[in-house]
Amino acid sequence: MDIGRMIISKYRYFLYKLYGRNIMGIMNEGIKCEVEKYNKINQSDIVHPCVRFSANKFKGHHWWLIYTPYYEANPDVENPILCYGVANDDKPPTNWVFYCEVNGKPEYGYNSDPTMFFREEELNTFWRENHTTRTHSDGFERATYGCIISQKDSHYYKNPILYEKSSFEDKEVSPAIIKSESGYTAYAIHFRFRNPKLHFKNNVLEIISNKLLWIFSLLEIFSEKRSYGVSIWKSKAIDEKFNYVKTTKIKNLNKLYKPWHIDVFEHDGKLYSVIQTNQCNADICLAVSEDNETFTMYNKPLITNQNINKLGIYKPTAFVHKDIFYLYYTAQNKNNRALNKMYLTKMPFTEVISKLQ
């Protein structure tokens, strides 16, 4: 196994050189966050973090986090958890306290990809459901649902806001929502999971096809998975169905990248996105949009597995607060691939842009 990993590592080093994929990012590992354990099954595991700030304290706190556990890659525990941050001032915290489980385990299928949006005195929380009783009842394979938490109570959206009928692709992977001039805009990744032309009803042919696809994907020769870019959805109201507008390709994208998850934030009149560049073996990169539609990726990554000495980098969340760029991300220690932990790293935003260029 060690020899096999060493060979793959050498092979990837060759590919990185060939395609100009940077091995090192510009930011350091940062500080490991302490997230209150919800139950023994979850083991304080955390992926899909989304951190948002409320200028006016919401339920006594400025900072809120929503995430899903994914301990031992078990989708049964992948249910959205809401926490508030403990801090002596309004700086982004590293200590998080459990508030509630927003949505429990479905009868079948699974939850994923939570996000949040503060509106006046309400916290709007969202999560995707995949192949659940509710998505099938609503006529979809996957969909994004919401719950409004106010100072006094909470209630769930009547209908999903984003939705996908296709079994093989999804235009609402890892959504993030911002306020726009005409209402609200959601940004997500448009991704194809499977190419139906490469699968067969015959079991023998299917086994052979799956094995070849796995080998080709591992060697970066070919993958049936495909990232089409950033999908754009719009709605006049945050709690009503969004309309899919279009998908835009990410410019300056390295050929070894297939963007998987994103988060977006606004700063100084521009829209930025932090991108998990692959489903596995990912870097975290920053992209900017001048027109709120098409993103251009900066030349260097923010972080890579190599420069933080970890594995399993996953979906980040980021923002600029008082001219400092803060990046929350999750990763695994090399001696425990079952457990995902969250880290916070920061840098003056002007320095980030200077180093990325």
Side-chain angles (χ1 to χ4, degrees):
M1 181 63 70
D2 290 337
I3 295 176
R5 287 179 178 175
M6 182 182 69
I7 293 172
I8 291 297
S9 178
K10 296 292 184 182
Y11 178 74
R12 283 177 175 167
Y13 180 80
F14 167 75
L15 284 181
Y16 288 8
K17 286 290 186 180
L18 181 64
Y19 288 101
R21 177 174 168 177
N22 288 278
I23 296 176
M24 302 299 289
I26 67 162
M27 303 184 76
N28 60 29
E29 172 188 339
I31 301 171
K32 185 170 74 170
C33 296
E34 297 298 326
V35 181
E36 184 179 18
K37 185 181 291 187
Y38 169 48
N39 60 38
K40 292 182 179 179
I41 298 174
N42 294 343
Q43 295 295 319
S44 292
D45 188 273
I46 172 171
V47 294
H48 301 127
C50 173
V51 173
R52 296 293 185 256
F53 173 76
S54 176
N56 298 319
K57 286 186 175 181
F58 178 73
K59 294 183 178 289
H61 303 280
H62 286 294
W63 296 95
W64 288 80
L65 159 72
I66 193 168
Y67 72 95
T68 67
Y70 196 47
Y71 184 61
E72 293 184 328
N74 180 9
D76 286 346
V77 303
E78 196 178 2
N79 308 311
I81 306 296
L82 185 64
C83 297
Y84 59 84
V86 177
N88 295 325
D89 48 37
D90 67 351
K91 291 182 180 179
T94 56
N95 294 314
W96 298 91
V97 177
F98 170 80
Y99 181 76
C100 72
E101 183 182 57
V102 178
N103 193 60
K105 179 184 177 301
E107 180 182 359
Y108 60 88
Y110 61 95
N111 297 311
S112 67
D113 300 359
T115 189
M116 293 187 294
F117 184 90
F118 274 105
R119 184 181 61 166
E120 298 173 351
E121 297 299 314
E122 297 178 338
L123 174 57
N124 292 259
T125 61
F126 306 93
W127 65 95
R128 290 173 66 239
E129 293 190 16
N130 304 266
H131 317 299
T132 66
T133 303
R134 177 157 49 178
T135 60
H136 291 164
S137 176
D138 289 336
F140 306 117
E141 289 295 324
R142 298 177 173 87
T144 298
Y145 296 88
C147 175
I148 298 175
I149 301 174
S150 67
Q151 295 284 1
K152 296 181 179 180
D153 56 16
S154 62
H155 63 275
Y156 289 86
Y157 286 18
K158 183 179 180 180
N159 299 304
I161 60 166
L162 310 175
Y163 37 88
E164 181 58 66
K165 292 184 177 181
S166 172
S167 300
F168 300 105
E169 65 181 70
D170 192 359
K171 296 185 292 294
E172 41 98 51
V173 176
S174 180
I177 298 170
I178 65 168
K179 184 74 173 68
S180 56
E181 293 182 0
S182 58
Y184 297 87
T185 302
Y187 297 88
I189 291 293
H190 185 174
F191 200 85
R192 184 182 72 189
F193 302 103
R194 288 163 62 91
N195 185 341
K197 296 179 180 179
L198 301 177
H199 292 274
F200 306 90
K201 293 182 179 179
N202 182 282
N203 289 336
V204 175
L205 291 177
E206 181 66 7
I207 291 172
I208 294 172
S209 176
N210 285 335
K211 181 62 70 174
L212 289 174
L213 287 171
W214 178 80
I215 294 172
F216 290 159
S217 178
L218 182 66
L219 298 177
E220 301 281 358
I221 296 173
F222 173 82
S223 176
E224 67 174 333
K225 294 181 179 180
R226 182 176 178 183
S227 182
Y228 294 104
V230 178
S231 60
I232 301 171
W233 304 69
K234 291 186 179 292
S235 176
K236 292 183 178 179
I238 195 169
D239 56 351
E240 295 180 1
K241 282 188 176 182
F242 283 57
N243 294 314
Y244 169 69
V245 178
K246 59 182 174 180
T247 295
T248 62
K249 290 184 178 181
I250 300 171
K251 295 182 178 180
N252 197 38
L253 186 70
N254 189 280
K255 291 185 180 297
L256 296 179
Y257 286 160
K258 300 178 182 68
W260 172 238
H261 281 5
I262 64 168
D263 191 23
V264 299
F265 65 92
E266 295 173 290
H267 179 66
D268 278 350
K270 293 183 180 181
L271 182 66
Y272 293 87
S273 174
V274 280
I275 300 173
Q276 177 191 343
T277 60
N278 296 85
Q279 189 173 4
C280 302
N281 190 36
D283 300 334
I284 301 300
C285 291
L286 183 69
V288 62
S289 176
E290 302 286 350
D291 60 3
N292 287 356
E293 289 188 352
T294 302
F295 288 89
T296 301
M297 187 174 287
Y298 286 95
N299 292 325
K300 299 177 183 177
L302 295 169
I303 59 171
T304 68
N305 286 315
Q306 286 79 3
N307 84 275
I308 63 169
N309 196 31
K310 296 188 182 301
L311 297 172
I313 290 177
Y314 216 70
K315 185 251 180 185
T317 184
F319 47 84
V320 176
H321 184 67
K322 296 185 176 179
D323 298 322
I324 303 296
F325 175 71
Y326 293 90
L327 176 71
Y328 288 91
Y329 68 94
T330 64
Q332 305 159 358
N333 284 328
K334 293 180 179 179
N335 60 355
N336 187 2
R337 296 300 306 276
L339 183 65
N340 301 278
K341 287 293 185 180
M342 185 169 72
Y343 299 82
L344 171 61
T345 185
K346 64 181 181 178
M347 184 182 290
F349 194 55
T350 54
E351 185 178 349
V352 169
I353 298 303
S354 177
K355 287 187 173 183
L356 290 178
Q357 292 174 334

